[in-house]
């Protein structure tokens, strides 16, 4: 019963606000009202001197948003010996709403000035349903909706500090940084002592690369009453902003590791592969190995055009087996690159000159050129490659030059999600001499890669690659057909970060190759554990 009575009483209960209005004068005429505010502004020089419009088209000169009654009485006393002595004070209700046409505003250069702008004044906008809804949307992370609602509120109440502040925060969250900057400027005009807003504004200016403006705002904050923690943060920002821009960066990566391979020569799966008494294959050979990699990268950003970067990469690689020494391989490579950033796209040109060092006079020189374009969603490239044997004959007396070839390649990678990428690769290999029939081929592949990080220091990569190779020419005895291979590769890669410069890497891969020619069928498993050291200077 008591609850029912309370509900009945609610519609006729008046809820009072904690502010007061001083009523000064009224008139039927707009031009007279303007003269009133001009005269009283000369006397008082205060903000919140307002001409409001009544529904009957009368105009009243008032001082609104007075914090307490004593302050209202002080203003009233100042007007006692003027023609505006018949004033009265009234406590505001929470739902107070009216239109204003003139109001006074404090400015940096001219002091208090009169502004003309017909707009609604709502005393307690922050208790309105629209404001509460906007705040709720912000608190639950729906920043796009909170931006829309706070933007609507701003058009009605552009003087409100909190509306402008949360409009700025919402705009930052959805990437509208310029709008956020303007909104924070309005906040600081209304309340120059709002230190949190100034701190956010200075950080935003830093993000917008307006370094001088950011330093100015940070230095203003250092003179204010702020916490020691905030001061430390500001000093870090100022140290960064005062640091001279570095246009060069260099790095080195050192990798040492050991591993095991179950089929180092990709030997056939058929246990005893023989035709007409001829032994055409050999059993798969298992062996352990150690590998070492040194990678050097020298980067330079052009001062005259900071969108251009030139990189010189050098690579030295060695893989040595414990038993099968003839399978040892070393690589020395030089890979220069030039890139250009435009409209969030990276345009790049990669060059490559590589020497592959093998036993038995089987060294190879590889040269390639590859233009590409990429952004945060995709990468695509084309590549031309030439592989040339360094020596005419190997230790077996075979002519190496018969194996020379050129290769054309198209690559495309697309980011399906933050953790999942898909890529495709199409290439064509063409022999440079006519002697060999087992070189020319077209390769098509499709790959999926998934990455997942956990506990900050751990990263797992999972990969699958499907590949088809179709050779161009008929093979001779004993097959007399065109070779067609299909391979499946599964990859697992675990990376543990000891710190920013040291990592442990465990890599495992399995490859199965099937073919219409039995001698080309094989499978292979390789497991490697590496220590990785990165150095920057």
């Amino acid at each position: 019963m008591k609850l029912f009575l309370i509900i009945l009483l609610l519609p006729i209960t008046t809820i009072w606000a904690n502010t007061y209005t001083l009523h000064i004068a009224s008139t039927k005429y707009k031009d007279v009202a303007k003269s009133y505010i001009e005269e009283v502004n000369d006397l008082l020089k205060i903000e919140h001197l307002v001409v409001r419009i009544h529904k009957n088209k009368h105009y009243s000169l008032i001082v609104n948003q007075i914090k307490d009654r004593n302050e209202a009485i002080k203003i009233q006393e100042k007007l006692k010996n003027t023609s505006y002595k018949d004033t009265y004070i009234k406590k505001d209700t929470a739902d107070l709403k009216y239109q204003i046409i003139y109001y006074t505003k404090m400015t940096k250069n001219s002091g208090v000035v009169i502004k003309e702008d017909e707009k609604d004044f709502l005393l307690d906008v922050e208790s309105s349903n629209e404001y509460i809804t906007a705040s709720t949307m912000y608190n639950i992370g729906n920043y796009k909706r909170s931006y829309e609602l706070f933007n609507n509120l701003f058009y009605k109440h552009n003087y409100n500090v909190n509306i402008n502040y949360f409009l700025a925060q919402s705009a930052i969250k959805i990437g509208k940084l310029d709008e956020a900057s303007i909104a924070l400027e309005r906040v600081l005009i209304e309340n120059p002592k709002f230190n949190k807003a100034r701190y956010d504004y200075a950080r935003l200016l830093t993000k917008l690369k307006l370094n001088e403006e950011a330093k100015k705002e940070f230095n203003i904050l250092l003179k204010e009453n702020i916490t020691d923690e905030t001061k430390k943060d500001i000093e870090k920002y100022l140290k960064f902003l005062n640091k001279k821009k570095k246009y060069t960066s260099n790095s080195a990566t050192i990798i040492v590791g050991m591993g095991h391979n179950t089929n180092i020569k990709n030997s056939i799966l058929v246990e005893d592969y023989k035709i007409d008494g001829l032994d055409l294959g050999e059993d798969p050979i298992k062996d352990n190995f150690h590998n070492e990699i040194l990678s050097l990268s020298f980067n330079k950003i052009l001062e005259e055009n900071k969108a251009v970067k030139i990189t010189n990469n050098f690579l030295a690689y060695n893989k040595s087996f414990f038993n099968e020494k003839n399978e040892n391989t070393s690589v020395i490579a030089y890979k220069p690159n030039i890139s250009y950033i435009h409209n969030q796209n990276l345009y790049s040109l990669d060059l490559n000159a590589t020497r592959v060092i093998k036993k038995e006079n089987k060294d190879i020189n590889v040269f390639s050129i590859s233009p590409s374009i990429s952004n945060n969603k995709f990468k695509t490239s084309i590549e031309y490659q030439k592989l040339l044997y360094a020596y005419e004959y190997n230790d077996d007396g075979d002519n190496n030059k018969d194996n020379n070839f050129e290769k054309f390649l198209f690559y495309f990678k697309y980011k399906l999600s933050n953790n999942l990428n898909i890529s495709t690769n199409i290439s064509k290999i063409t022999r440079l001499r006519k002697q060999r029939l087992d070189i020319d081929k077209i390769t098509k592949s499709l790959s999926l890669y998934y990455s997942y990080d956990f506990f900050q220091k751990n990263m797992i990569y999972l990969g699958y690659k499907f590949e088809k190779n179709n050779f161009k020419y008929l093979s001779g005895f004993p097959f007399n057909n065109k070779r067609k291979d299909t391979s499946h590769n599964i990859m697992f890669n675990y990376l543990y970060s000891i710190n920013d410069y040291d990592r442990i890497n465990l890599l495992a891969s399995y490859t199965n190759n099937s073919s219409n020619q039995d001698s080309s069928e094989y499978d292979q498993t390789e497991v490697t554990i590496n220590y990785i050291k990165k150095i920057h200077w």
Side-chain angles (χ1 to χ4, degrees):
M1 183 65 179
K2 288 182 179 178
L3 180 61
F4 179 70
L5 288 173
I6 291 171
I7 293 170
L8 285 176
L9 287 170
L10 278 175
I12 59 172
T13 301
T14 302
I15 300 174
W16 297 96
N18 294 317
T19 56
Y20 295 82
T21 297
L22 177 65
H23 295 261
I24 301 174
S26 296
T27 179
K28 294 180 180 180
Y29 307 106
K30 181 179 175 181
D31 56 342
V32 174
K34 186 177 181 182
S35 67
Y36 283 169
I37 193 170
E38 289 171 346
E39 291 174 7
V40 175
N41 184 48
D42 289 338
L43 295 169
L44 300 177
K45 294 292 182 185
I46 60 172
E47 285 193 294
H48 305 303
L49 187 61
V50 168
V51 173
R52 63 163 289 187
I53 308 171
H54 295 273
K55 289 181 180 179
N56 58 6
K57 294 301 180 182
H58 276 59
Y59 301 90
S60 291
L61 178 63
I62 60 174
V63 181
N64 67 7
Q65 303 182 68
I66 303 173
K67 300 298 182 185
D68 57 59
R69 187 174 180 82
N70 290 333
E71 186 181 341
I73 292 171
K74 287 179 183 178
I75 299 171
Q76 196 176 36
E77 288 292 324
K78 291 179 181 180
L79 295 173
K80 265 193 175 180
N81 297 321
T82 71
S83 57
Y84 299 97
K85 59 185 178 180
D86 297 324
T87 62
Y88 65 92
I89 301 167
K90 189 173 180 180
K91 190 172 185 180
D92 297 327
T93 58
D95 60 349
L96 185 62
K97 183 179 179 180
Y98 48 80
Q99 273 195 315
I100 62 175
I101 189 168
Y102 300 112
Y103 62 97
T104 55
K105 180 79 176 172
M106 178 67 75
T107 63
K108 288 182 179 179
N109 300 324
S110 306
V112 179
V113 298
I114 297 169
K115 302 274 189 178
E116 181 177 358
D117 184 11
E118 190 169 326
K119 59 185 179 180
D120 288 334
F121 173 81
L122 179 61
L123 178 66
D124 195 14
V125 64
E126 293 172 30
S127 296
S128 67
N129 288 333
E130 194 174 359
Y131 185 91
I132 292 169
T133 303
S135 301
T136 302
M137 292 297 105
Y138 182 84
N139 290 330
I140 66 174
N142 191 345
Y143 301 117
K144 185 176 180 180
R145 183 60 179 152
S146 68
Y147 168 79
E148 293 170 354
L149 293 172
F150 279 119
N151 202 39
N152 291 337
L153 283 165
F154 161 71
Y155 284 117
K156 300 174 186 176
H157 314 283
N158 49 36
Y159 55 85
N160 187 282
V161 169
N162 283 336
I163 288 173
N164 277 292
Y165 180 74
F166 284 105
L167 173 60
Q169 296 301 323
S170 301
I172 290 171
K173 296 291 187 182
I174 62 174
K176 295 180 178 288
L177 302 187
D178 290 330
E179 289 188 34
S181 173
I182 295 168
L184 287 171
E185 287 175 8
R186 291 194 297 264
V187 170
L188 294 172
I189 290 171
E190 290 288 337
N191 185 359
K193 297 294 183 181
F194 193 166
N195 292 334
K196 179 66 169 68
R198 192 175 297 280
Y199 180 62
D200 292 342
Y201 181 51
R203 290 195 303 168
L204 182 57
L205 291 173
T206 304
K207 197 169 185 178
L208 292 169
K209 301 191 184 321
L210 299 172
N211 294 351
E212 293 304 316
E213 293 87 340
K215 285 194 281 187
K216 179 182 175 183
E217 299 299 328
F218 279 129
N219 284 317
I220 292 172
L221 272 172
L222 287 175
K223 299 174 185 177
E224 298 294 330
N225 184 21
I226 55 177
T227 64
D228 291 339
E229 186 179 350
T230 305
K231 282 182 180 178
K232 287 180 182 178
D233 286 340
I234 290 172
E235 286 165 0
K236 287 179 183 177
Y237 273 106
L238 287 172
K239 185 178 179 180
F240 167 77
L241 291 168
N242 289 320
K243 189 176 181 180
K244 189 176 179 181
K245 177 70 175 177
K246 189 177 179 182
Y247 292 100
T248 61
S249 64
N250 307 311
S251 66
T253 302
I254 302 168
I255 302 175
V256 291
M258 296 182 66
H260 177 77
N261 190 301
T262 62
N263 190 356
I264 64 173
K265 294 185 178 181
N266 295 340
S267 300
I268 61 173
L269 291 174
V270 181
E271 186 172 351
D272 294 307
Y273 181 66
K274 296 181 179 181
I275 293 181
D276 294 336
L278 296 175
D279 188 352
L280 300 178
E282 60 182 327
D283 292 332
I285 299 174
K286 301 177 182 179
D287 203 355
N288 300 316
F289 62 85
H290 61 85
N291 59 254
E292 300 80 34
I293 299 173
L294 172 63
S295 175
L296 301 174
S297 181
F298 302 92
N299 303 283
K300 180 177 177 58
I301 297 173
L302 299 187
E303 290 189 47
E304 58 272 21
N305 188 345
K306 297 177 181 61
V308 178
K309 182 169 79 170
I310 298 173
T311 303
N312 288 289
N313 296 304
F314 298 89
L315 175 72
Y317 166 77
N318 176 68
K319 184 175 184 179
S320 296
F321 289 93
F322 286 13
N323 299 308
E324 298 296 319
K325 303 296 185 183
N326 285 341
E327 300 302 316
N328 293 352
T329 302
S330 297
V331 175
I332 299 173
Y334 171 53
K335 298 182 176 184
N337 164 278
I338 182 168
S339 61
Y340 173 68
I341 298 175
H342 179 66
N343 290 339
Q344 299 183 335
N345 289 320
L346 178 67
Y347 300 87
S348 183
L349 180 65
D350 293 277
L351 302 174
N352 169 45
T354 297
R355 176 73 171 228
V356 181
I357 303 168
K358 297 176 73 69
K359 299 288 185 178
E360 301 177 329
N361 278 344
K362 294 180 180 179
D363 292 8
I364 301 169
N365 295 317
V366 182
F367 305 96
S368 66
I369 181 171
S370 175
S372 66
I373 176 173
S374 61
N375 56 35
N376 61 354
K377 289 297 291 183
F378 77 90
K379 177 180 180 180
T380 186
S381 66
I382 56 174
E383 181 179 347
Y384 172 74
Q385 183 184 106
K386 205 164 198 176
L387 183 145
L388 304 171
Y389 277 80
Y391 304 109
E392 185 80 23
Y393 294 96
N394 60 37
D395 288 354
D396 296 328
D398 297 326
N399 193 320
N400 285 325
K401 302 292 183 178
D402 291 342
N403 296 312
N404 293 346
F405 66 79
E406 61 181 3
K407 181 178 181 179
F408 294 89
L409 182 145
F410 168 78
Y411 172 80
F412 180 78
K413 181 180 76 172
Y414 185 75
K415 186 176 182 180
L416 296 173
S417 68
N418 287 335
N419 302 89
L420 186 63
N421 290 293
I422 186 171
S423 65
T424 186
N425 204 325
I426 302 172
S427 65
K428 180 182 179 182
I429 291 178
T430 304
R431 60 187 178 173
L432 297 180
R433 291 187 175 184
K434 305 298 182 182
Q435 281 75 8
R436 298 292 297 266
L437 299 176
D438 58 347
I439 293 177
D440 293 55
K441 66 177 180 177
I442 292 177
T443 300
K444 300 174 185 177
S445 69
L446 183 69
S447 303
L448 281 171
Y449 292 97
Y450 176 79
S451 61
Y452 178 71
D453 62 321
F454 56 99
F455 303 131
Q456 296 183 331
K457 293 187 173 184
N458 300 272
M459 178 71 78
I460 287 177
Y461 300 89
L462 299 173
Y464 168 73
K465 182 179 180 181
F466 173 78
E467 182 175 284
K468 292 188 75 69
N469 286 283
N470 293 325
F471 287 78
K472 183 176 181 180
Y473 297 108
L474 286 170
S475 300
F477 174 82
F479 303 107
N480 297 315
N481 63 6
K482 292 183 180 180
R483 178 179 160 190
K484 295 181 180 180
D485 289 6
T486 299
S487 72
H488 303 269
N489 174 268
I490 300 171
M491 181 272 292
F492 170 82
N493 189 357
Y494 169 69
L495 191 67
Y496 174 72
S497 298
I498 302 170
N499 52 48
D500 290 341
Y501 306 102
D502 300 273
R503 293 173 173 83
I504 299 294
N505 167 238
L506 176 63
L507 178 64
S509 67
Y510 170 75
T511 302
N512 176 274
N513 190 80
S514 59
S515 176
N516 62 343
Q517 297 182 5
D518 292 344
S519 62
S520 299
E521 292 192 342
Y522 66 89
D523 67 357
Q524 180 192 78
T525 300
E526 183 168 291
V527 179
T528 312
I529 185 167
N530 294 307
Y531 166 71
I532 304 170
K533 177 73 175 181
K534 290 195 172 184
I535 304 169
H536 299 273
W537 72 92

